[in-house]
Amino acid sequence: MTTAKTMIERFSWSSRMEHWVQMISFVALAITGLVQRYDGAWISEKLISGMSGIEVVRDIHRVFATAMMVAVVYHFGAALYRKIVLDRPRVMIPSKADATAVRGSLKYLAGRADAPPPQGRFSWEEKVEYWAFVWGTVVMVISGFLLWNPIATTNIFPGEWVPTAKVIHSGEATLAVLAIIVWHIYHVHIAHFNTSMFTGKMSRHEMEEFHPLELASIDANEYPTPPLEERRRRMRRFVPVYSFMSIVLLFGIYLFVSFEETAIATIKPAEQVEVFVPVETLPPTSTTIGPATTTTTVVPGEVSWDGVVAAFFSPSCTGCHGTSGGLDLASYEAALAGGDSGPGIVPGNSTESVIAQVMASGSHPGLLSDEDLATFTAWIDAGAAESSDATTDTTTTTSTTSTTVVSATWDGVVAAFFTPSCTGCHGTMGGLDLSSYDAAVAGGVSGAGIVPGNSAESVITQKMAAGDHPGLLSDEDLATFIAWIDDGAAESSDTTSTTVVSAGDTWDGIVAGFFTPTCTGCHGTSGGLDLSSYEAAVAGGGSGPGIVPGDPGASMIVRTMAGSHPGLLSDEDLAALITWIEAGAAEN
């Protein structure tokens, strides 16, 4: 005998556990993701602080992202089991009956029908939510991989793909959270409080109201459980298929989370050691170059591509915008032509020039400094000359006194060619390492990076001369580099020299230039640490204040520069930054 209160099993124990794993993962991802997306909001700051800082927030986000992907692998297996072993119908596939149910629901809501349309095991509302979750998972996994593995991404795609992936990832996350709040909570908890995901069962009365077609199938025993022997026979087909599929998917997840460490390795807090040693100021040493010296003074003429402008983009921009497709900044003609968005440079009209538009927008990962942008736009408006008519004036002086002439060395000159533009990739994470002299000499799998006395056999020189590497030295730096190798590749100079750092330096006068545009491409106004202004740099981000006047050891920027960040200041600039903070970190 059945009554309205008779309970009918709707979800198995395993189905309910899968739902709860997905739900907990989703909530954790939503909280830890949105506080990073809207990190300036007061509630985000409270939550980040409550979770012990941004590093912990990011770790939690990655753990639950992995858990959700593993749960998806299980879901595939459960769906295959129901189809192959139990021979259940594909109840989540949309059908013509769902289109009819949508029309019936709209008529009911409009008051043109007395009752909602009868539906089967899953209503059309539930199917919409399920396939929205499937679509959202695909988008989040793809964009998440690009963000989790930025170096691999930019080795294949243009650099713009990484910030684009960030916008897509956070936008889809916001949409998913709103859908759960507006759609799921309404249908499951407000319109009718459905307890079946807690108990696994639903009363006969509820089935008659919400899933009458499924109840009719149950009463008619349309989908009986196959006999034991038949299930065992089907299991012999299911197990190898799902085992192979799960191994492939789980291996893919392993690659996802371990492919590279660039975006997942957080910087450990600096040890409490003395990080600042005052630079000793010595009397300047000098030598007389000779009784007569010829000097060449360039008389300022018209700014040109060859004379000034090309240097704005090489090598910081041509690494991405080179010869690999799209906008090409490697030559004057290519920069004029532009790309899909229009001409890069329109002589006489900077407002119509795509490059000027992108630089002025402030949203590009790599931006020109304000001074360089002003020069660039003035050059375009003046006609965008390719070559300069500047003349040179050669004069002779009878005697000259200058600072000591120091031959190029790794410590004195060459290391700066690769920091931070190259060491972001070629750092301490494997392969060719340019973060130290010994590592650069050793090279990698392609051979010795530097062969003292033989630039032709040095792999780094070969790569630079080939011209197809994403990041290339300028012609002048490459010539200096080759001459240094052929001269013996000295690590340091025997000449005593002194780096004089003035404690009177200011943010506006010198320090801001350390971060523009190398660092502000990422640390701009898009969230997190912002280095585009003095106030923002002092405030810092989720890891603490960026600058603590008078205390470089407590300044997060100094700790980061002393660690393994992809972009690092040179030793000289770091010493100047520390001195400036120690002196009180004056703004202007």
Side-chain angles (χ1 to χ4, degrees):
M1 174 178 167
T2 61
T3 66
K5 293 184 179 181
T6 300
M7 303 304 292
I8 297 174
E9 183 175 353
R10 181 159 172 76
F11 296 110
S12 65
W13 179 88
S14 60
S15 296
R16 300 201 306 274
M17 290 303 100
E18 178 191 348
H19 176 273
W20 283 105
V21 170
Q22 292 283 21
M23 187 209 72
I24 293 171
S25 298
F26 181 89
V27 172
L29 288 169
I31 293 173
T32 56
L34 291 178
V35 298
Q36 295 181 71
R37 172 65 177 84
Y38 302 101
D39 62 312
W42 67 269
I43 190 170
S44 296
E45 294 177 354
K46 293 289 185 183
L47 290 170
I48 291 172
S49 176
M51 287 183 275
S52 302
I54 192 65
E55 289 86 0
V56 175
V57 171
R58 290 169 178 164
D59 287 341
I60 294 173
H61 193 78
R62 292 162 189 140
V63 167
F64 280 101
T66 305
M68 178 169 281
M69 288 188 288
V70 172
V72 168
V73 175
Y74 173 82
H75 179 74
F76 286 151
L80 280 177
Y81 178 82
R82 286 191 292 269
K83 180 57 185 173
I84 295 177
V85 179
L86 300 182
D87 195 24
R88 295 288 188 260
R90 297 185 179 93
V91 291
M92 267 299 179
I93 303 298
S95 63
K96 292 182 179 179
D98 292 310
T100 301
V102 171
R103 290 195 297 271
S105 295
L106 293 176
K107 289 181 179 179
Y108 174 69
L109 292 173
R112 297 175 57 190
D114 296 332
Q119 303 203 56
R121 178 167 177 77
F122 294 109
S123 65
W124 71 263
E125 294 93 340
E126 290 169 326
K127 292 182 182 182
V128 166
E129 188 171 356
Y130 174 82
W131 287 106
F133 176 79
V134 172
W135 159 255
T137 300
V138 172
V139 172
M140 298 301 279
V141 168
I142 294 174
S143 59
F145 180 85
L146 301 181
L147 294 173
W148 205 317
N149 304 280
I151 290 179
T153 298
T154 52
N155 282 338
I156 301 174
F157 304 108
E160 292 89 342
W161 280 55
V162 174
T164 301
K166 181 180 179 182
V167 172
I168 293 173
H169 197 79
S170 60
E172 173 61 27
T174 304
L175 180 64
V177 170
L178 292 175
I180 290 296
I181 294 174
V182 174
W183 187 270
H184 184 79
I185 290 181
Y186 171 78
H187 284 98
V188 177
H189 300 292
I190 297 177
H192 169 71
F193 187 65
N194 190 337
T195 62
S196 61
M197 199 50 72
F198 298 93
T199 65
K201 298 179 180 180
M202 183 176 280
S203 70
R204 186 175 184 84
H205 173 73
E206 290 175 308
M207 292 289 291
E208 290 172 345
E209 182 177 358
F210 297 105
H211 304 281
L213 299 182
E214 181 188 15
L215 180 61
S217 296
I218 293 173
D219 290 342
N221 196 25
E222 292 182 1
Y223 304 106
T225 300
L228 179 60
E229 287 302 319
E230 178 62 19
R231 294 202 305 272
R232 287 176 176 173
R233 186 185 67 80
R234 294 176 180 178
M235 281 292 290
R236 288 194 291 271
R237 182 157 52 104
F238 164 76
V239 170
V241 171
Y242 178 60
S243 296
F244 175 76
M245 184 187 75
S246 61
I247 289 172
V248 172
L249 292 175
L250 291 174
F251 182 68
I253 294 173
Y254 170 76
L255 290 179
F256 187 111
V257 303
S258 64
F259 197 74
E260 67 183 53
E261 296 183 356
T262 305
I264 61 176
T266 55
I267 300 170
K268 296 181 179 179
E271 297 180 8
Q272 297 300 313
V273 297
E274 184 178 14
V275 296
F276 168 68
V277 178
V279 178
E280 181 182 3
T281 303
L282 299 178
T285 58
S286 62
T287 59
T288 300
I289 301 301
T293 301
T294 301
T295 61
T296 301
T297 304
V298 178
V299 179
E302 182 184 15
V303 174
S304 67
W305 174 270
D306 294 338
V308 176
V309 179
F312 293 165
F313 306 111
S314 181
S316 56
C317 299
T318 51
C320 291
H321 298 289
T323 57
S324 58
L327 176 62
D328 182 359
L329 296 174
S331 70
Y332 176 76
E333 292 79 8
L336 285 179
D340 296 336
S341 301
I345 297 167
V346 179
N349 191 340
S350 60
T351 59
E352 295 296 324
S353 303
V354 169
I355 301 173
Q357 294 170 5
V358 173
M359 292 292 110
S361 71
S363 60
H364 195 66
L367 297 173
L368 298 181
S369 66
D370 292 341
E371 293 181 1
D372 290 348
L373 179 57
T375 301
F376 179 60
T377 54
W379 167 72
I380 295 176
D381 292 333
E386 181 177 3
S387 301
S388 175
D389 295 329
T391 60
T392 59
D393 175 38
T394 303
T395 59
T396 302
T397 58
T398 56
S399 63
T400 299
T401 301
S402 65
T403 55
T404 304
V405 177
V406 181
S407 299
T409 64
W410 174 270
D411 294 338
V413 176
V414 179
F417 294 165
F418 306 110
T419 304
S421 56
C422 299
T423 51
C425 292
H426 298 290
T428 56
M429 61 184 178
L432 175 62
D433 182 358
L434 295 173
S435 63
S436 70
Y437 175 81
D438 293 335
V441 170
V445 294
S446 300
I450 297 167
V451 180
N454 192 339
S455 59
E457 296 296 325
S458 303
V459 169
I460 299 174
T461 304
Q462 296 168 3
K463 291 289 185 182
M464 293 293 111
D468 57 354
H469 195 67
L472 296 174
L473 297 181
S474 65
D475 292 341
E476 293 181 1
D477 289 347
L478 180 58
T480 301
F481 181 60
I482 291 173
W484 167 72
I485 294 177
D486 291 336
D487 197 36
E491 180 176 3
S492 58
S493 174
D494 294 331
T495 304
T496 302
S497 62
T498 304
T499 300
V500 180
V501 181
S502 171
D505 286 332
T506 65
W507 173 271
D508 294 339
I510 185 172
V511 178
F514 296 163
F515 307 112
T516 304
T518 305
C519 301
T520 52
C522 291
H523 298 289
T525 56
S526 59
L529 175 63
D530 181 358
L531 294 173
S532 62
S533 70
Y534 175 80
E535 293 79 7
V538 170
S543 300
I547 297 166
V548 179
D551 190 352
S555 302
M556 182 264 292
I557 296 174
V558 174
R559 298 200 307 269
T560 300
M561 290 296 107
S564 58
H565 196 64
L568 296 174
L569 298 181
S570 65
D571 293 341
E572 293 82 1
D573 289 349
L574 180 57
L577 175 67
I578 292 172
T579 300
W580 170 70
I581 295 175
E582 189 73 22
E587 180 177 2
N588 48 43

